[in-house]
Amino acid sequence: MAKKSKIAKNEQRKVIVERYAERRAQLKKQLVDPNGTEESREEARVGLQKLPRDASPVRVRGRDSIDGRPRGYLSSFGISRVRFRDMAHRGELPGITKSSW
């Protein structure tokens, strides 16, 4: 189980990313616009730099949705490898079977 403070901080990052997503996309579009001037590109670059660090989606950590484990996270299921294995063995994940060959 991860520390509650780490889980809370990650949730706060998700909120900040969502808040700045539209502005960030607008600045990125302006940055790569082929019809834009050098001044507008420079303005977009500076605008991106002025956004908060936590506004970048890269800073959001993938964590187990149940206990917050940060390592071994399977994004397609939203859980960690340890919990995935337990749930698969108990038959709680539809369509998942233990492989044997």
Side-chain angles (χ1 to χ4, degrees):
M1 178 85 178
K3 288 172 36 175
K4 300 282 186 192
S5 61
K6 292 287 188 180
I7 295 170
K9 183 69 174 173
N10 201 45
E11 292 303 315
Q12 184 62 33
R13 279 189 183 126
K14 288 179 185 177
V15 170
I16 293 171
V17 165
E18 187 178 324
R19 186 182 313 147
Y20 286 98
E22 186 178 332
R23 182 157 182 217
R24 185 176 188 81
Q26 199 174 46
L27 287 169
K28 284 206 169 222
K29 186 177 178 183
Q30 186 179 351
L31 191 63
V32 297
D33 184 24
N35 298 329
T37 63
E38 282 298 318
E39 292 82 27
S40 68
R41 284 194 188 109
E42 181 67 20
E43 183 181 311
R45 186 184 60 75
V46 170
L48 274 172
Q49 287 178 345
K50 289 192 185 246
L51 290 179
R53 280 188 177 180
D54 285 345
S56 174
V58 171
R59 290 178 62 95
V60 175
R61 179 79 189 226
R63 290 185 174 269
D64 189 321
S65 59
I66 300 166
D67 67 356
R69 179 182 168 88
R71 305 277 178 111
Y73 174 73
L74 303 173
S75 59
S76 55
F77 295 95
I79 54 178
S80 68
R81 62 179 177 79
V82 178
R83 187 159 314 272
F84 176 83
R85 188 169 189 264
D86 288 342
M87 290 176 77
H89 279 303
R90 283 185 264 139
E92 295 175 0
L93 299 174
I96 303 297
T97 57
K98 190 169 191 278
S99 65
S100 61
W101 59 90

